[in-house]
Amino acid sequence: MSILVYTESENGKFKKSALEVTSYAKGLADQLNTQVIAVAVNVDDTSALANYGADKVLQVNNSKLDNFNAKAYADVLQQAAEKNSSKVIVVSSSANSKYLAPLLSAGLKAGYASNVVSLPDSTEPFRVKRTAFTNKAFNFTEISTQVKIVGLANNAYGLKESSSSANAESFEPTLDEKDFEIKVSSVDKTTGKIAIADADIVVSGGRGLKGPENWHLIEDLAEVLGAATACSKPVSDMGWRPHSEHVGQTGKPVASNLYVAVGISGAIQHLAGVNASKVKLVINNDPEAPFFKAADYGVVGDAFTVVPELIEKLKEFKANNA
Amino acid sequence: MKILVCISHVPDTTSKINFTDGDSKFDTSGVQFIINPNDEFGLTRAMWFKEKQGAEVTVVNVGESSTEPTLRKALAIGADNAIRINAAPTDGYYTAVQLAEVAKDYDLVIAGKESIDYNGGMVPGILAELTGFNFINSCIGLEVDGSTATVTREIDGGKESLQTTLPLVIGGQKGIVEEKDLKIPNARGIMMARKKTLTVQEPVQSETLTKAVSFEKPAAKGTVKLVEADNLDALIDLLHNEAKVI
Ligand SMILES: Cc1cc2nc3c(=O)[nH]c(=O)nc-3n(C[C@H](O)[C@H](O)[C@H](O)COP(=O)(O)OP(=O)(O)OC[C@H]3O[C@@H](n4cnc5c(N)ncnc54)[C@H](O)[C@@H]3O)c2cc1C
Ligand SMILES: Nc1ncnc2c1ncn2[C@@H]1O[C@H](COP(=O)(O)O)[C@@H](O)[C@H]1O
């Protein structure tokens, strides 16, 4: 028996989510009294996983897997799960994990629960808590199959250190022609920018900023905080910002540690998508803005004076706390 | 080309979410239902293929009779015909099995990357595996030329361009068409929809792999801590020492 965990990497380095899913898998392995086996694709140095509870690391090295390919990656995980009699497979909530998990679910006939926020509150039956209705509620789901797949929500469990052996061994799955019927012709990643899905902090701007020419406020604030930038839906609809920054119920979900909303009213559809963030700071000049009801911290004031001052003070703070 | 658009019937985005029967069921009273937004984008893209490439478009839903107005709306937007599989969509696998029965006769299946109610994000992928069709998720651009499809997929922090062949299932989202291009039913469309066929089909036998047993509303939010605009040092202190997020 074992818990299998898919540890994602980029350019040969683990993503933070890989360490989070490994931490979660360790928690689960303790509950079920078993070991954690991580699968890492094209990562040479997997030692980082030893700090988060991986007992064994299956290193898959294959140039055919250089580009992410959901079908092939699902096949790799399926073979690893079968070989190690894995009872639970843990994946993250990245776009790639959400792409491969249903394929793996069908392949193994394993029940899959996405957006899971905590360890199972019962292992027999196996029941997990997940978000539903785009963060407007939680839902307890029972997975009744032998093998189970848990998709962990971003930042829901956090990193938990626990030293382990993380013995690396090479794993060579048999890949099939059928795994490669989808070909990647180009990848277009905004380099040097933090993706909303990976960010610990997200700084988001709304219509209150009046126009795209004022977005340096959001960008500068994001820069001092090491944050990703986001926006409300009308802002992307008007073309002030790219669609990829639109967050909310019909945009990207945000589950950061800190979400800073500047000049955003806090409409129900916006809140639905960002409510999973742990701490929310709202800057708005209208004390009646609905967002204040959903916020942890608030500043009632004009963004055009508050934000520049906040940036200056944060620079000072960072300099003193470096 | 024959296109099947999977339509999930979900509460309107402004709905207040409540539960009944000891928090075991979603309370539908007073809730307006709509076409799942991700599916609405997909349906509009299907209409483009119909107009430009002569595609035939069928919409399908797995649901009880209460979902028919949602399918009628899809017909009013321009789908040629509709199928309702008469069963409650109890889990993603079960739903995909039902859809697979219908989907095998199509070249392109357009579904959404997730439904905004249960946010399962699994039906299209499982459906693809059950039918043996290719699958591309988080699709924000789709072109078809003969049996070749060129698809843009959103990835974390960017996008990628992919090529594959039909038959194909996609999990679509905003971007596959622009918001401003979304089709809304007009009076003529609504009239025509009345004459189109909506076939009701009984489900096939299938197991379920998961079960939603109960629900919980998020804990009520404590009151916000307001900081004066001229006292931002206090804000930084709270974020650093109390919330521990910076
Ligand atoms: C089907 C549907 C889906 C939707 N999905 C989404 C979604 O996914 N995401 C989303 O964001 N929206 C979504 N919306 C739109 C949503 O209902 C709101 O219209 C939108 O979130 C409002 O954006 P906003 O807060 O930027 O603008 P507004 O509502 O115009 O708010 C601007 C805010 O800025 C404040 N302000 C003005 N000037 C200043 C200043 N100088 N300093 C500080 N504050 C200032 C104002 O007090 C106000 O609160 C959806 C709507 C529908 C119908
Ligand atoms: N009951 C259903 N009937 C038809 N299509 C569905 C149904 N449930 C889900 N789908 C399709 O699958 C997509 C993803 O749904 P889900 O896996 O439930 O998040 C939706 O956007 C629909 O296209």
Side-chain angles (χ1 to χ4, degrees), chain A residues 37-48:
Chain A
I37 302 180
V39 179
V41 181
N42 295 342
V43 184
D44 295 326
D45 179 6
T46 56
S47 58

Side-chain angles (χ1 to χ4, degrees), chain A residues 194 201-205 209 214-229 258-263 281-283 303 306-315 318, chain B residues 232 235-236 239 246:
Chain A
I194 303 167
I201 303 181
V202 173
V203 177
S204 187
L209 282 159
N214 298 322
W215 237 261
H216 61 273
L217 291 174
I218 298 297
E219 285 172 336
D220 293 350
L221 182 56
E223 192 178 328
V224 280
L225 289 168
T229 53
L258 174 64
Y259 182 71
V260 184
V262 184
L281 163 64
V282 170
I283 300 171
V306 173
V307 175
E309 200 184 322
L310 185 59
I311 293 170
E312 285 317 310
K313 289 198 181 288
L314 280 167
K315 280 186 184 155
K318 291 276 172 185
Chain B
L232 296 177
L235 177 67
I236 292 178
L239 294 175
I246 61 167

Side-chain angles (χ1 to χ4, degrees), chain B:
Chain B
M1 177 166 58
K2 285 182 75 183
I3 303 178
L4 182 68
V5 184
C6 302
I7 302 280
S8 120
H9 160 93
V10 298
D12 176 14
T13 58
T14 56
S15 306
K16 293 266 186 297
I17 304 299
N18 291 303
F19 303 101
T20 58
D21 291 9
D23 282 339
S24 68
K25 281 207 181 73
F26 173 56
D27 183 359
T28 56
S29 58
V31 171
Q32 283 269 4
F33 281 84
I34 56 167
I35 298 175
N36 184 42
N38 289 324
D39 303 341
E40 200 181 356
F41 288 109
L43 178 60
T44 301
R45 188 65 192 158
M47 288 303 109
W48 187 91
F49 287 118
K50 176 177 158 147
E51 280 154 27
K52 298 284 191 306
Q53 301 185 355
E56 182 194 324
V57 179
T58 302
V59 288
V60 62
N61 169 261
V62 180
E64 290 165 329
S65 57
S66 58
T67 71
E68 285 192 7
T70 300
L71 282 176
R72 286 278 170 212
K73 184 175 169 202
L75 290 172
I77 288 171
D80 298 301
N81 48 65
I83 302 170
R84 180 172 68 81
I85 302 171
N86 186 29
T90 40
D91 93 323
Y93 182 82
Y94 178 91
T95 305
V97 168
Q98 305 310 327
L99 293 171
E101 283 297 308
V102 176
K104 47 185 192 235
D105 302 327
Y106 292 81
D107 307 299
L108 174 64
V109 179
I110 301 181
K113 79 162 177 184
E114 72 170 17
S115 303
I116 63 166
D117 53 359
Y118 293 92
N119 309 108
M122 65 180 93
V123 168
I126 297 176
L127 171 61
E129 284 295 280
L130 293 172
T131 48
F133 291 9
N134 288 321
F135 172 54
I136 298 179
N137 209 4
S138 312
C139 165
I140 52 170
L142 172 65
E143 304 286 341
V144 178
D145 183 6
S147 65
T148 307
T150 306
V151 182
T152 312
R153 174 173 86 97
E154 188 174 72
I155 55 177
D156 294 336
K159 57 188 179 186
E160 65 183 16
S161 178
L162 304 157
Q163 274 212 333
T164 191
T165 50
L166 302 184
L168 170 70
V169 178
I170 65 138
Q173 64 180 76
K174 177 181 166 184
I176 189 171
V177 297
E178 290 297 323
E179 176 109 14
K180 61 174 173 32
D181 298 328
L182 275 181
K183 293 239 185 240
I184 43 172
N186 56 24
R188 199 176 109 86
I190 295 167
M191 284 285 288
M192 304 243 302
R194 295 205 191 114
K195 298 199 199 96
K196 292 178 180 168
T197 44
L198 191 164
T199 313
V200 179
Q201 181 169 318
E202 288 310 310
V204 293
Q205 183 58 38
S206 163
E207 61 202 303
T208 58
L209 312 184
T210 60
K211 184 170 176 226
V213 280
S214 63
F215 298 90
E216 190 178 287
K217 298 233 275 181
K221 191 87 213 155
T223 43
V224 54
K225 277 196 184 157
L226 289 180
V227 176
E228 295 298 323
D230 56 8
N231 191 14
L232 296 177
D233 289 318
L235 177 67
I236 292 178
D237 183 60
L238 286 167
L239 294 175
H240 181 61
N241 292 313
E242 186 180 81
K244 300 195 178 0
V245 289
I246 61 167

Side-chain angles (χ1 to χ4, degrees), chain A residues 156-172:
Chain A
Y157 192 73
L159 303 185
K160 303 232 170 19
E161 296 209 12
S162 92
S163 66
S164 58
S165 53
N167 288 322
E169 61 183 59
S170 140
F171 178 64
E172 286 174 21

Side-chain angles (χ1 to χ4, degrees), chain A residues 123-175:
Chain A
T123 53
E124 203 63 55
F126 191 92
R127 187 174 59 217
V128 286
K129 183 175 179 177
R130 56 185 298 279
T131 60
F133 295 95
T134 325
N135 296 313
K136 290 180 188 168
F138 293 106
N139 152 238
F140 288 88
T141 289
E142 267 176 33
I143 308 180
S144 49
T145 45
Q146 276 280 315
V147 182
K148 300 155 180 79
I149 304 174
V150 171
L152 182 65
N154 288 337
N155 283 321
Y157 192 73
L159 303 185
K160 303 232 170 19
E161 296 209 12
S162 92
S163 66
S164 58
S165 53
N167 288 322
E169 61 183 59
S170 140
F171 178 64
E172 286 174 21
T174 338
L175 296 170

